[in-house]
Amino acid sequence: MNAGLPTENILELDDVHVFYGAIHALKGVSLTVREGEIVTLIGANGAGKSTTLRAINGLNHARRGSIRFQGNDITTATPHTIVKGGIAQSPEGRRLFPRMTVIENLEMGAFQRTDRENFQADMDRVFELFPRLYERRTQNAGTMSGGEQQMCAIGRALMARPKLLLLDEPSMGLAPIFVEKIFEIVREINAQGTPVLLVEQNALMALDAAHRGYVMETGRIALEGEAAELKTNEAVQKAYLGLE
Amino acid sequence: MASALERLRRSSAVDLTGLGLVALVLFWLAVNFVKAPAEFINVGLIGLTNGAIYGIVALGYTIVYGILQLINFAHGDVFALSGLVASTVIVSVLGLDADASVPVIVGGMLLTLVVIMTMFSFVNATIERVAYKPLRHAPRLAPLITAIGVSFIVQNVGLAIYGVNFRSVPAFIPPTNVFEIGGVSYTWDKLAALMVVVPLLGLLTWFVRQTRQGKAMRAVSQDREASAMMGIDVNRTISITFAIAGSLAGAAGIVFLLQFNMRYDTGFELGLIAFTAAVLGGIGNLPGAVLGAILIGLIQAFNEGLTWFAPGSDWTRTIVFGILILILVFRPEGLLGERTPEGA
Ligand SMILES: Nc1ncnc2c1ncn2[C@@H]1O[C@H](COP(=O)(O)OP(=O)(O)OP(=O)(O)O)[C@@H](O)[C@H]1O
Ligand SMILES: [Mg+2]
């Protein structure tokens, strides 16, 4: 499936443990994302998918284990240095700045960038991907519909020109036609060279879009493999694809 | 259903009482205006000027609250200490007095502003670093109590350095009239206060709306974690916010000193007044803080300066803090604030 892809790891998690107070949320997660890949992370509610992305982003530091990005250890780095290094996230629940306009939200996405000259071109590209956002560009993000907010959150992450894009349930709350469109955009972003780590509830579509996948269960990686293989895996079909 | 109806009835009763009260106040103002129009306008101008000074102190409360959800009780005391240090700069270092020429006065004022604003931006940022940052993830009560502690510390630093006596500066900006039209007049010392406050308000508005760092400040106020995910250095942004609040307090200390005596505890009451102004406008809301401060300045001036049935200065505190209680009870989000789950 991923023949022709370079096999260099851009992201490596090795035995990562994360705690919320006394709650042991990640119990030794190891995964990799290679250059050019879409990797999906699926699993039941509370399995630890968002926590994994938060650990990568430096919002919850791993108490044990290590996280390497492009060969550098970022396990204990601060979030803003990690973002500056090239990891952008569209977080669960969108987390837009509600009393800032769409344009200002997009500007915040590009906050750590130093190449101000490409800024307008990138914003135009986001507006091209999401024409609806252009119509809403001077509206406060908090007053937009859920779907519009989701587009803005993805656009905001793209504005960082990331070397690795983390997407936490980008299709959440979107009408089916928009879900299709979001997956199309994820493929397109990836085709232009950006590796993507995609957390999804919609396991079927995620496995269709991804090269490889990981299945999480209660803080651990239960299964991993080529996306096409996972799709035909009996346990996955039963638990996540709603097939008997 | 019944409870919704009940709530409707109750809120309309509250609205009616409120409207009645506002009507009464407007009537009282109108009668005073008709009886002595020039005096009324003079008193109003005093209120506006004081309100503007309260405004830059109130902004310090509101931007810090916005970014940390912390009521920085030490803010008023930082203001008072800055006024005391300004008195040293003006009297002992620069030696400004009533005989000084205009260029010397203007230059001296600007120099004092730069020195004091820089100094107190560092003082305030240091307070945050030392006293509040370690409590960033503690329950909200902890930094609140620490803030009260810092308030006492700053006050006592003022007491230790300057003693219990009031300090003042010679009237180097003379309280002579800028204009006088039909009994309505305005003096230079008050205009000097506005000439400092109004540009600062403009500068702050521009900073918060237009600049990268100002937008980062708003972003951190709205969602600290999402800001971190955008690559914003949250700690640095919080430090900058405290630095700005400190420099505004410093500027307020100087212009206050031009008209009033100050001592170590001046910041307690003025801090509470400015805090009330920030709550009245909607804490966390910048234009709200200025609006609230101007309203409080006007209320205070009309109360103390009008002649027809004015309660007088003995009642000023009662009225100001009565307003605080009324807002907290009936409109906790303030005049311009939005309703949040916490009602703040
Ligand atoms: N802030 C927190 N405090 C305490 N426990 C938390 C916190 N956030 C998450 N958890 C716990 O950590 C575990 C993993 O949560 P996480 O949000 O990573 O799951 P998820 O796989 O993203 O779930 P979902 O599909 O519902 O988004 C859960 O048991 C959750 O209850
Ligand atoms: Mg999640």
Side-chain angles (χ1 to χ4, degrees), chain A residues 164-180:
Chain A
L164 171 67
L165 179 62
L166 311 178
L167 296 175
D168 199 340
E169 304 194 13
S171 70
M172 177 96 129
L174 292 178
I177 178 151
F178 273 119
V179 175
E180 293 275 359

Side-chain angles (χ1 to χ4, degrees), chain A residues 18 25 33 43 79 87 93 97 103 106 118 130 155 178 180 213 222 226 237:
Chain A
V18 170
V33 177
I87 300 181
F97 303 111
I103 289 182
L106 295 179
N118 300 322
F130 304 106
F178 273 119
E180 293 275 359
E226 302 289 315
Q237 288 193 339

Side-chain angles (χ1 to χ4, degrees), chain B residues 15-335:
Chain B
D15 287 351
L16 275 183
T17 320
L19 280 179
L21 213 64
V22 171
L24 202 68
V25 170
L26 288 180
F27 174 71
W28 171 69
L29 288 175
V31 172
N32 269 292
F33 178 74
V34 171
K35 278 177 175 277
E39 196 182 324
F40 182 91
I41 295 173
N42 278 330
V43 169
L45 287 175
I46 293 173
L48 270 179
T49 313
N50 291 343
I53 301 175
Y54 298 158
I56 48 174
V57 182
L59 278 171
Y61 279 99
T62 243
I63 58 177
V64 163
Y65 183 88
I67 209 148
L68 280 189
Q69 284 74 54
L70 166 75
I71 297 161
N72 180 15
F73 281 114
H75 192 68
D77 303 291
V78 170
F79 152 81
L81 188 61
S82 77
L84 291 175
V85 177
S87 75
T88 302
V89 173
I90 291 170
V91 175
S92 310
V93 181
L94 299 174
L96 290 180
D97 58 30
D99 303 330
S101 64
V102 171
V104 171
I105 291 172
V106 172
M109 262 305 275
L110 286 177
L111 190 66
T112 311
L113 274 170
V114 169
V115 169
I116 297 292
M117 288 176 73
T118 310
M119 184 170 165
F120 281 87
S121 66
F122 279 109
V123 167
N124 218 33
T126 308
I127 288 175
E128 190 274 328
R129 212 18 97 70
V130 174
Y132 303 143
K133 192 177 171 212
L135 300 171
R136 195 71 59 73
H137 302 286
R140 287 241 302 252
L141 197 56
L144 201 66
I145 289 174
T146 309
I148 295 171
V150 176
S151 160
F152 279 117
I153 292 172
V154 176
Q155 224 179 79
N156 279 284
V157 168
L159 178 63
I161 302 176
Y162 290 93
V164 293
N165 293 328
F166 280 97
R167 306 266 302 191
S168 61
V169 289
F172 67 94
I173 299 179
T176 51
N177 287 341
V178 182
F179 65 82
E180 214 219 297
I181 307 162
V184 174
S185 64
Y186 197 64
T187 54
W188 278 106
D189 56 335
K190 293 197 189 65
L191 185 67
L194 285 191
M195 277 171 14
V196 170
V197 170
V198 172
L200 282 177
L201 290 179
L203 206 63
L204 184 70
T205 308
W206 167 80
F207 174 79
V208 166
R209 292 239 177 98
Q210 304 293 335
T211 66
R212 188 174 119 93
Q213 196 56 56
K215 285 176 189 171
M217 206 168 116
R218 279 159 61 206
V220 174
S221 297
Q222 293 177 30
D223 192 330
R224 197 186 296 172
E225 223 174 58
S227 302
M229 279 187 229
M230 299 302 112
I232 295 170
D233 186 339
V234 171
N235 285 331
R236 182 162 166 264
T237 307
I238 292 173
S239 287
I240 290 175
T241 306
F242 271 81
I244 292 172
S247 68
L248 290 176
I254 297 169
V255 291
F256 193 81
L257 186 70
L258 294 180
Q259 297 180 62
F260 305 100
N261 298 332
M262 295 180 82
R263 65 171 194 178
Y264 70 99
D265 64 354
T266 304
F268 177 71
E269 182 172 340
L270 195 125
L272 279 176
I273 289 175
F275 171 65
T276 306
V279 173
L280 174 60
I283 189 121
N285 182 301
L286 272 58
V290 178
L291 175 70
I294 287 175
L295 284 177
I296 298 246
L298 286 173
I299 289 165
Q300 183 185 17
F302 284 137
N303 173 52
E304 293 175 5
L306 293 182
T307 44
W308 185 77
F309 279 109
S313 60
D314 289 347
W315 287 91
T316 296
R317 286 176 209 177
T318 312
I319 292 171
V320 168
F321 298 118
I323 291 172
L324 178 63
I325 293 169
L326 285 178
I327 318 160
L328 289 177
V329 171
F330 294 114
R331 203 179 153 83
E333 73 276 20
L335 295 175

Side-chain angles (χ1 to χ4, degrees), chain A residues 54 95 99 104 107 111, chain B residues 212 215 223 225 338:
Chain A
R54 292 171 58 86
R95 305 292 288 271
R99 292 182 298 287
E104 285 172 333
E107 279 176 26
F111 187 83
Chain B
R212 188 174 119 93
K215 285 176 189 171
D223 192 330
E225 223 174 58
E338 4 195 322

Side-chain angles (χ1 to χ4, degrees), chain A residues 33-56:
Chain A
V33 177
R34 298 181 202 133
E35 288 291 358
E37 270 187 333
I38 298 178
V39 174
T40 185
L41 193 57
I42 57 180
N45 293 123
K49 306 179 296 292
S50 299
T51 306
T52 305
L53 296 195
R54 292 171 58 86
I56 297 168

